[in-house]
Amino acid sequence: MKLSIILSTLASARLPSVTSGELQQLVGTAEGKAFADDLKWFALGDTGRREHLAAVVHLLAPGVRNTVENLGFHFDLVRLIAAAKDDGSIGLQTIKIAKMNSGNRARAIAYLHGIGLDLAITDTSTKALAEPPYYSFKIFSTNAALCISEARTRSGNQHTIQLEGALHMGTAGDLKRYDWQNKITIQLTVQEAYLTLGLFENLVSHVKFDGHGRNHEKSLQIEFQNTHYFVRIIQRARTPISIPVRAVDGIQIVSLLYKQLLRNEEHLKLDDIRTMVGRMAAMMPKN
């Protein structure tokens, strides 16, 4: 598509113009093709495409890249665009105001971590740029591995947990290798975190959370199976990731869930959370 047509369409949408150099970042990407389609359909009268056009145009601005990199992350344009289309203007605004104060900076870092951007910092002496730290631990099985970490929700910036599943790739010497590059990630809502805590406290027999992901193509299933728990992470057109979790590993999950939920409700104590989870479980179907 000619630059003149792109600029004319953006002008009619009352969006900032872009340069050919900025557009070059989209070449060969799925988001580049989607951007061209959005331009075409907007020009034909589909004004609902403006929101997606705005997400791309604003993220192409050099200032956004500089902010993301100054926060200690690799600038992954495609991932940022995908997140912005899900969040509307919330995520972009979180990045833009990161420099205003330490609180905004922390929220921006939490947001970028939550959408899966990779840290650019490997030197531990500069690790402080990526504060606050995110505690995580891994659980391994024969065919897959699970990483569970602290996270914050994009909407509301509330404390929760994130689960990442990776398939086993084989061994290198005595070491097992897992395909973390192609992991499937699911971040729990706060409500799902409460339900998950109920399960790992053996108050609920199973939970199933559908509709995760940009295209609502991911789901998480966890079952209590008397001697262990069974976690299954599913994404459409991908091999499901299934991981048995021992009772002793479940203790770490319970501990992290209490930690995160108490951070959201600082006026409560652990026993208060436990009482509320017990009450919730008592009201749920027993099948």
Side-chain angles (χ1 to χ4, degrees), residues 163-165 182-186 218 233 235 238-239 241:
L163 294 88
E164 299 172 330
N182 293 305
K183 63 191 176 185
I184 302 177
T185 302
I186 290 182
K218 299 180 185 179
I233 302 175
Q235 183 173 8
R238 297 276 302 274
T239 301
I241 297 172

Side-chain angles (χ1 to χ4, degrees), residues 61-133:
V64 175
R65 173 186 284 272
N66 292 339
T67 299
V68 170
E69 292 178 346
N70 287 337
L71 289 170
F73 291 84
H74 286 294
F75 184 78
D76 186 337
L77 179 61
V78 170
R79 191 180 291 270
L80 283 163
I81 291 173
K85 288 180 178 179
D86 281 343
D87 301 333
S89 61
I90 296 173
L92 183 61
Q93 187 64 17
T94 300
I95 296 170
K96 284 185 173 181
I97 64 174
K99 297 179 181 179
M100 293 178 63
N101 55 56
S102 59
N104 287 348
R105 177 185 174 86
R107 280 187 284 274
I109 289 172
Y111 172 76
L112 295 173
H113 182 274
I115 66 174
L117 255 62
D118 294 326
L119 287 171
I121 302 166
T122 55
D123 185 353
T124 56
S125 66
T126 58
K127 189 177 180 181
L129 287 175
E131 291 179 348

Side-chain angles (χ1 to χ4, degrees), residues 148-262:
I148 299 174
S149 64
E150 297 176 342
R152 291 194 182 187
T153 63
R154 297 179 196 168
S155 176
N157 198 34
Q158 292 186 291
H159 295 275
T160 184
I161 67 169
Q162 180 169 284
L163 294 88
E164 299 172 330
L167 292 171
H168 181 233
M169 296 174 60
T171 57
D174 295 331
L175 298 176
K176 291 185 176 182
R177 297 185 300 120
Y178 295 88
D179 190 10
W180 293 110
Q181 185 173 351
N182 293 305
K183 63 191 176 185
I184 302 177
T185 302
I186 290 182
Q187 183 183 103
L188 300 187
T189 66
V190 173
Q191 291 81 4
E192 290 170 343
Y194 275 106
L195 287 165
T196 301
L197 178 57
L199 182 135
F200 281 103
E201 286 279 35
N202 300 346
L203 301 173
V204 178
S205 63
H206 65 278
V207 293
K208 181 180 180 182
F209 309 130
D210 295 323
H212 281 265
R214 176 184 170 190
N215 297 312
H216 311 293
E217 78 283 14
K218 299 180 185 179
S219 65
L220 172 68
Q221 301 172 10
I222 312 176
E223 295 181 6
F224 169 61
Q225 297 188 345
N226 295 317
T227 59
H228 65 279
Y229 306 93
F230 194 76
V231 177
R232 187 173 171 87
I233 302 175
I234 302 168
Q235 183 173 8
R236 191 183 308 131
R238 297 276 302 274
T239 301
I241 297 172
S242 301
I243 306 164
V245 175
R246 300 176 302 166
V248 67
D249 293 320
I251 293 173
Q252 287 181 280
I253 300 174
V254 169
S255 176
L256 183 56
L257 282 165
Y258 274 119
K259 175 184 176 182
Q260 295 295 84
L261 293 171
L262 284 168

